[in-house]
Amino acid sequence: MTNKPTLKIYKDRDADLKHLRGIPIAIIGYGSQGRAQALNLRDSGLQIIIGLPKKSNSIKTARKDGFEVYPSDEAVKLGEIISVLAPDHQHKKIYNEHMKKNLSAGKTLLFACGFSIHFRLVLPPKDVDVIMVAPHAPGEMMRKFFLEKKGVPCFFAVQQNYSGKGKKKALAYAKAIGCTKAGAIQTTFRDEAIGDLFGEQAVLCGGLTELLKVGFEVLVESGLSPENAYLECVHQLDFIVDTIKSHGIAGMFDRISKTAEYGSYQAGKRVIDDRVRKEMEKILKEIEDGSFVKTWMKECETGMKNYLKMKRMTSKHPIERTSKRIRDLMK
Ligand SMILES: NC(=O)c1ccc[n+]([C@@H]2O[C@H](COP(=O)([O-])OP(=O)(O)OC[C@H]3O[C@@H](n4cnc5c(N)ncnc54)[C@H](OP(=O)(O)O)[C@@H]3O)[C@@H](O)[C@H]2O)c1
């Protein structure tokens, strides 16, 4: 296994808000990231407007938070920096229908993820900057950390540098939303898009949840009560994750019993064996060659039947009932 050299971490001292002061920033979308970023940017003294569809459910929230809200087309016309914070699977449609014709030379398109640009769902003209600031946390957490004067880390990248100031603008934006307090790491749209999809699918969301469910099922099928199985396989996850984040994997093993540690060394390798590694490599290939995105976009354009079926199956799994029972019991 080869490692790339360690990347530089940019902090508050490396970023200057002067590159954004007095420049209107249009935030397109007012969900998890849109709301948190808009509030943080405004608290950092920047000039923010919000762009939303005319019938959007988010208009009320944005107005209540004191922002001026415009239809997306209008917001793109008024903004110099256009921060695209609507869901990724809708970027292609939003860009083609509302943004493309309103983007004039010298504006900046800013994304919180490399997805749409890397997979060419959005094809910006040559005479705009295209930059990314991708926070490593949901919006709600980013806002909370900002208010506590902490900040969450982020990736940033410059794909198109028409003005020659793309990096300075990206770093200033990262500072204004609080990310350079924790650290901003430079990457590319490609690496962010591929890494993000792979991490969430194979490890953090897809892989992990299947591991939890199978562990739960095996214990229940062996005769343990669902509550017992849940407490053993799922409930202590936050302790393990927090310990790994604070002390590393070896440090986590130092903090559990020797029996747990010895058993984990031999069983872990049997559960996550070469077959799993091969499947992960296959998943990565499907992400890299664009076939995952092609299938997902087709799903979005044809009524999301498979997506909705899998969503229903997930919420009907017995582990969900058990999880709710445990949560209720522990209230
Ligand atoms: N969430 C995270 O943890 C996270 C972390 C890092 C980066 N990101 C990135 O941040 C971006 C936004 O993600 P998110 O999770 O914040 O999305 P989200 O919460 O799902 O965004 C929903 C918002 O987008 C609005 N919207 C829907 N269609 C729109 C349209 N046609 N035009 C304008 N606005 C529209 C929605 O309005 P309605 O109320 O009308 O539906 C709502 O305000 C994505 O690129 C994502 O990859 C997310």
Side-chain angles (χ1 to χ4, degrees):
M1 210 162 81
T2 52
N3 288 323
K4 282 188 184 175
T6 310
L7 300 165
K8 174 172 173 177
I9 300 205
Y10 293 80
K11 304 287 277 188
D12 274 354
R13 62 177 174 275
D14 303 308
D16 196 332
L17 294 184
K18 75 176 182 198
H19 299 293
L20 296 180
R21 269 204 200 97
I23 298 174
I25 301 174
I27 306 276
I28 308 299
Y30 202 72
S32 172
Q33 287 295 321
R35 179 166 191 263
Q37 294 198 18
L39 292 168
N40 292 4
L41 291 162
R42 185 175 66 187
D43 287 352
S44 296
L46 302 177
Q47 197 184 317
I48 309 301
I49 58 168
I50 309 296
L52 283 166
K54 285 186 182 129
K55 290 187 179 157
S56 167
N57 295 323
S58 305
I59 293 177
K60 215 169 135 193
T61 319
R63 292 218 167 108
K64 210 168 145 211
D65 287 338
F67 289 107
E68 285 178 27
V69 181
Y70 297 89
S72 301
D73 310 60
E74 196 59 26
V76 175
K77 267 190 219 160
L78 293 169
E80 279 302 311
I81 312 258
I82 322 297
S83 185
V84 186
L85 297 176
D88 294 312
H89 67 280
Q90 293 182 10
H91 286 187
K92 182 177 176 185
K93 191 169 185 292
I94 298 173
Y95 180 78
N96 290 333
E97 290 177 9
H98 303 285
M99 301 182 67
K100 201 171 166 180
K101 58 182 180 295
N102 298 306
L103 262 187
S104 49
K107 293 203 185 212
T108 298
L109 268 182
L110 190 148
F111 292 86
C113 175
F115 186 86
S116 315
I117 293 292
H118 175 66
F119 291 108
R120 300 179 58 76
L121 303 170
V122 169
L123 296 167
K126 291 268 172 281
D127 56 5
V128 299
D129 287 347
V130 181
I131 60 178
M132 174 179 72
V133 178
H136 287 174
E140 295 72 10
M141 188 192 286
M142 187 172 63
R143 178 65 181 157
K144 181 174 173 284
F145 274 43
F146 181 90
L147 291 172
E148 291 166 3
K149 308 218 174 315
K150 288 196 291 206
V152 299
C154 72
F155 277 138
F156 75 95
V158 179
Q159 175 87 1
Q160 243 175 239
N161 198 6
Y162 177 74
S163 69
K165 292 184 179 157
K167 184 171 174 180
K168 289 191 169 99
K169 283 191 241 178
L171 278 170
Y173 192 96
K175 182 174 186 170
I177 59 173
C179 291
T180 45
K181 277 223 161 21
I185 298 161
Q186 188 159 16
T187 185
T188 60
F189 274 63
R190 186 243 174 231
D191 285 3
E192 197 282 337
I194 304 288
D196 189 47
L197 290 174
F198 179 79
E200 66 201 14
Q201 291 181 19
V203 185
L204 296 177
C205 308
L208 176 65
T209 52
E210 286 308 312
L211 188 69
L212 298 177
K213 282 196 278 186
V214 173
F216 171 86
E217 285 168 8
V218 167
L219 278 186
V220 172
E221 280 157 20
S222 78
L224 263 72
S225 74
E227 288 77 10
N228 196 335
Y230 184 87
L231 289 168
E232 295 298 356
C233 292
V234 186
H235 195 70
Q236 301 176 59
L237 193 64
D238 53 349
F239 164 73
I240 300 296
V241 172
D242 284 349
T243 313
I244 290 175
K245 280 180 78 175
S246 305
H247 304 284
I249 291 176
M252 180 276 289
F253 281 130
D254 285 342
R255 285 163 176 80
I256 60 176
S257 74
K258 293 269 176 288
T259 308
E261 183 183 3
Y262 169 76
S264 302
Y265 290 147
Q266 55 85 30
K269 289 255 180 248
R270 289 170 62 192
V271 174
I272 308 295
D273 58 8
D274 275 351
R275 195 191 41 83
V276 174
R277 179 183 288 267
K278 287 222 157 53
E279 203 56 40
M280 281 201 182
E281 287 167 359
K282 220 169 122 192
I283 289 166
L284 179 59
K285 274 224 157 51
E286 288 163 12
I287 293 170
E288 286 175 333
D289 69 15
S291 39
F292 164 74
V293 171
K294 199 169 157 201
T295 314
W296 171 224
M297 286 303 119
K298 193 166 169 215
E299 178 75 12
C300 294
E301 286 154 13
T302 52
M304 290 189 163
K305 270 198 205 111
N306 295 311
Y307 160 83
L308 291 169
K309 190 174 161 201
M310 291 186 283
K311 194 173 171 64
R312 264 194 313 275
M313 276 166 60
T314 300
S315 61
K316 281 190 178 150
H317 190 282
I319 203 168
E320 292 306 312
R321 280 197 302 279
T322 311
S323 162
K324 183 167 181 327
R325 265 202 305 279
I326 298 280
R327 285 198 303 273
D328 289 346
L329 278 173
M330 293 194 172
K331 261 183 199 159

